[in-house]
């Protein structure tokens, strides 16, 4: 099997809409959570969310003026910006007249932009369907993001979308990894995007699975592994990686951020404690175990766990699963952090944005703080030393990182990144 490396990164996150600013933010533990006036106006319990801020005029570098006039879908916008960032970061060029038959794209999302859908429904209800224009369908289909990316970059290999709830991002990376590993492609754009959709956030608010306690102080709202965690913070954005066959990347002199050693996706079958909304501990443990086996790493090799860790009751269950599989407890446990403490839960985009953060820590040699965990949950503190949850930036060489995500439907995805 061929070896696969990461040569480019792109990100649109609530605390940084490009890799340099995102890197600075996660090093400093800077939150991107803020009050969203629309949520206040709707009288929801939670007023805070993560909404990336793109600088005015930045989109003109990616889209023509005519396209921009009709483009309203935020997941398409975020995905295209992140993917193009990653492409250029990898030292690749965009040729408007050439098809790259050896490069493809797997770019996932959990839902289309509901704001665009709502506007369309209202337009139809007013009997003005002709006003929908010619760009509506391509912005609402699940493959819309990857289709736009494929056209921007001229990709001629597989161009498709995946959707596996919160596991979508890491799963997209593994799907692209397998395509290169088996020789079906030499290079792939992998990632995921989530639209800024207050309507989806309102549905989560109705389920009472998002926090309602920190409206006055948004930056403290997302509290993974904390005793005072009260639900996740909804968020949006996109992350993208350029994956390449290792020897080809070396031959062209590409900068290599990390090597993908392997990974695994599975489901807990919604049995033994697993439900539509809660992961089965047995399924989670099996996913981690198989990812490590397929990556040929041992428990002692793991320096850092970039967990799913959403600020819900599942955090303590997740930490127990990690400790059980690794058989490392107390102060022997690896460092563990959660990017969601700074940006909230980006749903379908979570795995790709968090993978970008994991790779940056590996490449630059640091562990970013997991903020708002000054009061670790007692059941977590009984398993691991609080010192393994970094409250401040740690400058330290990292050789092996495990990144995992667990989603609605009891689906799991786990991936292992190492230094090249």
């Amino acid at each position: 099997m061929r070896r696969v490396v990461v040569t480019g990164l792109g990100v649109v996150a609530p605390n940084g809409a490009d890799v340099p600013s995102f890197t600075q933010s996660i090093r400093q533990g800077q939150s991107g959570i803020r009050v969203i006036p629309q949520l206040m106006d709707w009288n929801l319990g939670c007023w805070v969310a993560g909404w990336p801020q793109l600088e005015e005029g930045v989109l003109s570098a990616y889209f023509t003026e005519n396209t921009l006039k009709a483009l309203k879908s935020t997941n398409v916008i975020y995905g295209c910006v992140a993917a193009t960032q990653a492409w250029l970061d990898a030292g690749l060029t965009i040729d408007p007249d050439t098809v790259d038959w050896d490069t493809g794209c797997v770019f996932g999302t959990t839902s289309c932009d509901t704001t665009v859908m709502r506007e369309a429904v209202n337009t139809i209800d007013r009997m003005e369907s002709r006003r929908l224009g010619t760009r509506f369908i391509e912005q609402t289909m699940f493959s819309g993001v990857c289709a736009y990316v494929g056209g921007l970059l001229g990709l001629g290999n597989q161009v498709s979308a995946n959707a596996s709830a919160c596991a979508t991002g890491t799963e997209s990376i593994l799907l692209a990894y397998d395509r290169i590993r088996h020789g079906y492609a030499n290079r792939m754009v992998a990632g995921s995007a989530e639209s800024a959709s207050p309507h989806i956030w309102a549905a989560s608010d109705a389920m009472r699975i998002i926090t309602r306690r920190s409206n006055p102080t948004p930056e403290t709202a997302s509290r993974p592994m904390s005793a005072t965690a009260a639900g996740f913070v909804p968020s949006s954005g996109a992350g993208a990686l350029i994956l390449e066959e290792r020897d080809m990347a070396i031959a062209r002199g590409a900068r290599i951020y990390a090597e993908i050693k392997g990974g695994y996706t599975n489901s807990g079958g919604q049995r033994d404690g697993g439900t539509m909304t809660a992961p089965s501990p047995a399924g989670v443990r099996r996913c981690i175990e198989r990812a490590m086996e397929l990556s040929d790493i041992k428990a002692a090799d793991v320096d850092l766990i970039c967990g799913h860790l959403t600020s819900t009751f599942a955090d303590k269950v997740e930490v127990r699963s990690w400790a059980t599989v690794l058989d490392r407890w107390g102060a022997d446990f690896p460092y563990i952090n959660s990017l969601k403490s700074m940006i909230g839960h980006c749903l379908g985009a979570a795995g790709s944005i968090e993978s970008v953060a994991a790779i940056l820590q590996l490449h630059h040699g640091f562990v970013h703080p997991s903020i708002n965990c000054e009061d670790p949950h007692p059941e977590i503190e009984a398993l691991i030393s609080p010192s393994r949850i970094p409250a401040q930036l740690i400058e330290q060489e990292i050789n092996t990182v495990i990144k995992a995500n667990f989603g609605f439907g009891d689906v799991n995805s786990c991936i292992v990144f190492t230094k090249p």
Side-chain angles (χ1 to χ4, degrees):
M1 294 295 178
R2 305 196 305 172
R3 295 169 68 177
V4 181
V5 296
V6 180
T7 59
L9 299 173
V11 68
V12 176
N15 65 347
D18 56 68
V19 171
S21 59
F22 178 71
T23 304
Q24 182 178 3
S25 292
I26 66 173
R27 288 178 66 93
Q28 296 175 349
Q30 181 178 334
S31 174
I33 307 302
R34 60 190 178 91
V35 172
I36 307 300
Q38 188 173 1
L39 304 182
M40 295 176 63
D41 295 342
W42 287 353
N43 198 29
L44 300 186
C46 177
W47 302 344
V48 302
W51 197 318
Q53 302 298 297
L54 291 173
E55 292 183 8
E56 187 175 352
V58 70
L59 297 180
S60 61
Y62 304 95
F63 303 103
T64 65
E65 184 177 349
N66 286 337
T67 300
L68 278 176
K69 287 179 181 179
L71 188 57
K72 298 179 180 179
S73 172
T74 49
N75 62 348
V76 170
I77 292 169
Y78 296 157
C80 288
V81 172
T84 308
Q85 284 180 13
W87 186 264
L88 299 176
D89 183 54
L92 302 168
T93 58
I94 301 174
D95 187 339
D97 300 317
T98 303
V99 176
D100 186 344
W101 301 109
D102 293 319
T103 302
C105 174
V106 178
F107 221 95
T109 188
T110 59
S111 63
C112 64
D113 192 324
T114 54
T115 301
V116 175
M117 289 294 293
R118 178 175 179 270
E119 290 179 3
V121 170
N122 289 340
T123 300
I124 295 170
D125 287 345
R126 292 194 304 267
M127 298 183 183
E128 299 175 346
S129 59
R130 291 183 180 180
R131 291 182 177 272
L132 289 177
T134 59
R135 297 280 187 176
F136 171 68
I137 291 178
E138 64 197 46
Q139 292 185 62
T140 56
M141 61 188 188
F142 271 72
S143 59
V145 182
C146 65
Y148 268 90
V149 170
L152 281 172
L153 304 179
L155 308 182
N157 208 277
Q158 178 183 3
V159 174
S160 61
N162 67 304
S164 296
C166 309
T168 297
T170 35
E171 181 187 77
S172 71
I173 298 169
L174 287 174
L175 289 170
Y177 160 78
D178 279 337
R179 190 158 184 85
I180 297 173
R181 187 166 170 259
H182 289 283
Y184 297 121
N186 292 333
R187 183 186 297 116
M188 294 290 290
V189 182
S192 58
E194 188 70 31
S195 60
S197 292
H199 299 84
I200 296 292
W201 302 343
S204 297
D205 188 81
M207 292 177 68
R208 294 184 176 271
I209 56 176
I210 59 179
T211 184
R212 298 182 170 200
R213 294 183 183 175
S214 302
N215 291 330
T217 54
E219 68 279 359
T220 69
S222 187
R223 311 182 62 81
M225 297 180 282
S226 166
T228 50
F232 73 83
V233 174
S235 192
S236 56
L241 286 67
I242 304 300
L243 310 186
E244 294 191 54
E245 194 278 327
R246 177 179 176 270
D247 291 342
M248 293 182 179
I250 292 173
R252 74 175 184 89
R255 170 186 50 199
I256 297 177
Y257 283 104
E259 180 170 0
I260 299 178
K261 294 295 287 185
Y264 193 64
T265 59
N266 76 345
S267 169
Q270 300 182 41
R271 303 288 190 275
D272 299 325
T275 67
M276 177 61 74
T277 59
S280 159
V284 167
R285 292 194 296 270
R286 182 174 178 82
C287 185
I288 298 168
E289 288 169 352
R290 290 292 289 140
M292 293 176 61
E293 290 171 7
L294 293 169
S295 303
D296 194 25
I297 65 165
K298 299 179 175 60
D301 297 329
V302 180
D303 300 310
L304 172 64
I305 296 167
C306 295
H308 188 56
L309 300 169
T310 59
S311 302
T312 65
F313 74 93
D315 289 2
K316 60 189 179 184
V317 180
E318 179 181 339
V319 173
R320 180 175 291 279
S321 292
W322 287 111
T324 301
V325 171
L326 297 177
D327 194 21
R328 295 175 62 178
W329 312 84
D332 183 49
F333 194 78
Y335 285 115
I336 184 168
N337 59 16
S338 175
L339 183 66
K340 293 182 182 71
S341 66
M342 290 181 259
I343 69 169
H345 192 347
C346 293
L347 306 177
S352 57
I353 296 175
E354 292 164 10
S355 290
V356 170
I359 292 167
L360 288 171
Q361 292 173 90
L362 185 76
H363 180 69
H364 293 294
F366 70 92
V367 179
H368 73 64
S370 200
I371 66 173
N372 302 325
C373 192
E374 62 277 359
D375 57 340
H377 193 287
E379 292 186 44
I380 292 177
E381 200 167 5
L383 300 170
I384 66 174
S385 169
S387 66
R388 310 316 288 170
I389 305 171
Q392 305 292 333
L393 172 70
I394 297 173
E395 301 278 5
Q396 179 176 312
E397 193 77 4
I398 301 296
N399 293 304
T400 302
V401 178
I402 297 186
K403 174 76 204 93
N405 293 98
F406 315 114
F408 273 20
D410 197 6
V411 292
N412 312 305
S413 187
C414 184
I415 188 167
V416 177
F417 299 106
T418 65
K419 272 197 175 298

